[in-house]
């Protein structure tokens, strides 16, 4: 299973329009952050986690092949504002999109023309599937367990993805992807226990009312105890990528756009 970070930034992206801070002025490519999204791929299956407004730009460098499913974490524009741009992928068939009831409602309101009784020719062919926390499902050779985290007072979904590598060899690759989390209920931790790779949000150094800051993310990573933790959904306030990574505990790092993690 391969994870590709298409975007690791917060809702405004980095650089932020009009900002002259050292991060926004940095020439290091790792300090350039598009809105959060990721590809998870096996030889058989290709999943997209979130589809933000940078989707077109993010996918241009990627091989053009079928997307088997789009997993939506929540109904905020920076996580699903690029859904209209999936149209080229509809030549492979309908795009299967998976969202909880709140995000499903948001998609219907954002893209009403895609779900109208008489659709305008050329609109994306989207098959919208309603999913619920703790109800596992499978796409291709990847098992998916949605669980709940809190984005301030808004319940949203995190995903645990497990690939069964062979029916002959009982080994699995497990990834947990969380973004925009502020808190998580103790009971949800059972759904991510034993994860190999943890991806989780770290917005900035300072506290925030609806997102984890860096210290929150480090504490959470230590609780989970994954072999490797990668931090995402970071603003320009997080600091310079290379400087910050040198200060982080072993096994924890700030992810960057285009980074590939093989499992």
């Amino acid at each position: 299973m391969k994870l590709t970070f298409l975007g690791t930034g917060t809702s405004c992206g980095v650089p932020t329009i009009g900002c002259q801070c050292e991060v926004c002025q940095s020439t290091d490519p790792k300090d350039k952050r598009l809105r959060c999204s990721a590809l998870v791929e096996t030889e058989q299956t290709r999943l997209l986690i979130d589809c933000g407004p940078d989707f077109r730009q993010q996918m241009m460098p990627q091989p053009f092949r079928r997307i088997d499913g789009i997993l939506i974490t929540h109904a905020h524009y920076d996580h699903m504002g690029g859904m209209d741009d999936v149209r080229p992928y509809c030549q492979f068939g309908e795009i299967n999109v998976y969202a909880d009831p709140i995000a499903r409602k948001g998609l219907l309101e954002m893209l009403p023309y895609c779900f109208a009784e008489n659709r305008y020719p050329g609109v994306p062919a989207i098959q919208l599937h309603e999913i619920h926390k703790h109800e596992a499902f499978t796409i291709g050779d990847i098992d998916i367990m949605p669980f709940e985290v809190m984005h301030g007072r808004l319940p949203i979904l995190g995903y645990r993805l497990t690939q069964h590598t062979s029916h002959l060899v009982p080994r699995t690759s497990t990834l947990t992807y969380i973004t925009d989390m502020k808190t998580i209920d103790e009971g949800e931790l059972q759904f991510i226990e034993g994860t190999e790779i943890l991806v989780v949000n770290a917005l900035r150094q300072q506290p925030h009312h609806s997102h984890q800051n860096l210290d929150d993310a480090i504490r959470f990573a230590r609780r989970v105890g994954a072999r490797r933790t990668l931090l995402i959904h970071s603003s320009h306030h997080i600091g310079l990528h290379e400087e910050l990574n040198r200060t982080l505990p072993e096994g924890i790092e700030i992810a960057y756009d285009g980074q590939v993690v093989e499992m």
Side-chain angles (χ1 to χ4, degrees):
M1 190 157 63
K2 180 176 78 172
L3 166 68
T4 303
F5 290 99
L6 301 178
T8 58
T10 187
S11 56
C12 294
V14 183
T16 299
I17 294 173
C19 183
Q20 302 298 315
C21 76
E22 64 174 353
V23 176
C24 289
Q25 296 299 304
S26 171
T27 58
D28 184 350
K30 293 179 181 178
D31 288 319
K32 314 297 183 187
R33 300 182 184 277
L34 299 174
R35 270 66 71 92
C36 262
S37 181
L39 274 177
V40 179
E41 300 171 283
T42 70
E43 291 184 2
Q44 301 178 31
T45 308
R46 192 186 210 194
L47 303 181
L48 179 71
I49 304 179
D50 284 337
C51 184
D54 298 319
F55 172 78
R56 178 185 176 277
Q57 180 180 353
Q58 291 165 336
M59 292 302 290
M60 291 297 286
Q62 302 297 325
F64 183 64
R65 64 183 182 90
R66 178 183 174 86
I67 295 174
D68 296 291
I70 301 177
L71 309 178
I72 299 297
T73 60
H74 64 293
H76 284 169
Y77 182 79
D78 57 317
H79 294 269
M80 62 183 201
M83 196 63 68
D84 187 79
D85 289 330
V86 305
R87 279 180 288 171
Y89 293 90
C90 293
Q91 65 184 265
F92 299 106
E94 283 191 319
I95 300 292
N96 291 295
V97 178
Y98 301 82
D100 70 7
I102 298 174
R104 181 181 182 276
K105 181 174 181 291
L107 282 166
L108 291 172
E109 292 172 348
M110 185 178 74
L111 300 170
Y113 54 90
C114 292
F115 307 102
E117 185 175 344
N118 298 307
R119 298 183 184 183
Y120 185 82
V123 302
I126 296 173
Q127 183 66 38
L128 189 52
H129 304 269
E130 184 172 301
I131 59 174
H132 301 271
K133 64 178 181 179
H134 311 161
E135 295 182 5
F137 59 101
T138 299
I139 302 174
D141 59 348
I142 300 178
D143 295 333
I144 301 155
M145 173 59 77
F147 56 92
E148 184 179 88
V149 301
M150 297 302 296
H151 181 12
R153 292 184 292 178
L154 174 68
I156 67 174
L157 292 181
Y159 293 101
R160 175 173 171 145
L161 297 93
T162 304
Q163 180 199 6
H164 295 281
T165 54
S166 169
H167 68 284
L168 298 175
V169 182
R171 293 180 60 191
T172 59
S173 297
T174 303
L175 161 72
T176 295
Y177 187 97
I178 301 171
T179 185
D180 287 44
M181 177 176 75
K182 177 62 177 179
T183 60
I184 182 171
D185 186 84
E186 196 73 25
E188 299 296 311
L189 294 175
Q190 63 181 302
F191 297 102
I192 54 180
E193 183 179 351
T195 195
E196 183 181 359
I197 301 291
L198 172 66
V199 178
V200 70
N201 57 295
L203 182 69
R204 62 190 193 188
Q205 306 271 358
Q206 304 83 5
H208 189 272
H209 69 280
S210 63
H211 295 80
Q212 289 189 138
N213 68 3
L214 182 61
D215 288 342
D216 294 331
I218 291 171
R219 282 192 294 269
F220 180 71
R222 285 171 169 160
R223 287 182 71 189
V224 173
R227 176 176 60 82
R228 186 178 182 187
T229 296
L230 298 109
L231 307 179
I232 60 165
H233 205 274
S234 301
S235 76
H236 56 156
H237 297 298
I238 199 73
L240 293 166
H241 181 275
E242 291 297 340
E243 288 185 6
L244 182 60
N245 259 349
R246 286 196 292 267
T247 71
L248 293 176
E250 184 178 356
I252 302 175
E253 65 196 272
I254 296 284
Y256 59 87
D257 290 18
Q259 184 174 5
V260 176
V261 178
E262 299 274 2
M263 288 173 277

